[in-house]
Amino acid sequence: AQSVAQPEDQVNVAEGNPLTVKCTYSVSGNPYLFWYVQYPNRGLQFLLKYITGDNLVKGSYGFEAEFNKSQTSFHLKKPSALVSDSALYFCAVRVRLMEYGNKLVFGAGTILRVKS
Amino acid sequence: DVKVTQSSRYLVKRTGEKVFLECVQDMDHENMFWYRQDPGLGLRLIYFSYDVKMKEKGDIPEGYSVSREKKERFSLILESASTNQTSMYLCASSPFGASGRFLDTQYFGPGTRLTVL
């Protein structure tokens, strides 16, 4: 089955330190990968996506993600965490459907807590 | 900016009631989606629609139906609500991608937290 896995339920990091939120994928063919963030009592917001090209993708709010084909990973990173980055983060992969285009399959989510 | 709105932020219903969740998007997107979000399970796709009056089952369609009479509106219907349908429901929309029907970025509404008693 085509899927993504987020191996950490929660990641804790001190403000100012670099952060990494992990994601691995399992798809046939070339993966289209996404990161979304959900702040408390809000819907999901798009952060970034990897379609093709440069393995380092830059997104909103200073986040970036590194695509690694050999490790089938797409980890989200930020050089210096902010308390306001505390939220729920979802990794997703595009799955091709037979006739109707595509759908997204989401991971279970990782809670990021940044402490001052 | 893309705006996706959902009719209610919080909803409390009783078992057996018929429940309507409404979603409206203002960006003329072809694709619309309904997900439910549960802790530890992430988002699971209930139904989606790629055109007016078209609907396709997602991964967990049982107990739900949908309606898309207009391009901007996508309704989720719980014919007879049950307690295991207590959840956060998220609506999303997206345009066709540059390659035709290939999915581009999805834009989400704020969610409806439904409690079934």
Side-chain angles (χ1 to χ4, degrees), chain A residues 30 32 61 66 77 96:
Chain A
N30 294 322
Y32 284 25
Y61 312 122
E66 186 172 13
K77 299 181 179 185
R96 289 278 296 273

Side-chain angles (χ1 to χ4, degrees), chain B:
Chain B
D1 281 351
V2 175
K3 192 166 184 182
V4 180
T5 57
Q6 295 182 229
S7 51
S8 305
R9 293 299 302 273
Y10 301 94
L11 209 53
V12 179
K13 296 292 182 180
R14 298 214 173 268
T15 302
E17 279 192 79
K18 190 169 185 176
V19 181
F20 293 87
L21 302 182
E22 305 286 340
C23 175
V24 176
Q25 51 97 2
D26 67 356
M27 283 302 292
D28 202 35
H29 286 170
E30 292 82 4
N31 304 299
M32 295 189 76
F33 307 81
W34 275 107
Y35 295 89
R36 63 177 285 175
Q37 180 183 0
D38 299 288
L41 297 177
L43 276 71
R44 293 178 291 167
L45 182 64
I46 305 172
Y47 267 96
F48 65 100
S49 168
Y50 57 92
D51 203 352
V52 176
K53 296 191 185 297
M54 306 303 289
K55 59 185 179 183
E56 295 297 328
K57 293 181 180 179
D59 300 314
I60 52 164
E62 295 78 18
Y64 303 94
S65 63
V66 290
S67 172
R68 193 163 181 205
E69 297 297 318
K70 294 184 177 182
K71 191 175 185 179
E72 68 271 18
R73 188 180 297 270
F74 192 35
S75 302
L76 180 68
I77 303 158
L78 287 66
E79 295 289 343
S80 178
S82 63
T83 55
N84 63 12
Q85 292 178 311
T86 291
S87 186
M88 170 72 90
Y89 290 88
L90 293 168
C91 175
S93 72
S94 76
F96 284 145
S99 303
R101 284 192 169 180
F102 295 144
L103 180 68
D104 210 289
T105 304
Q106 289 191 14
Y107 298 89
F108 284 81
T112 295
R113 187 167 293 282
L114 172 66
T115 301
V116 182
L117 301 175

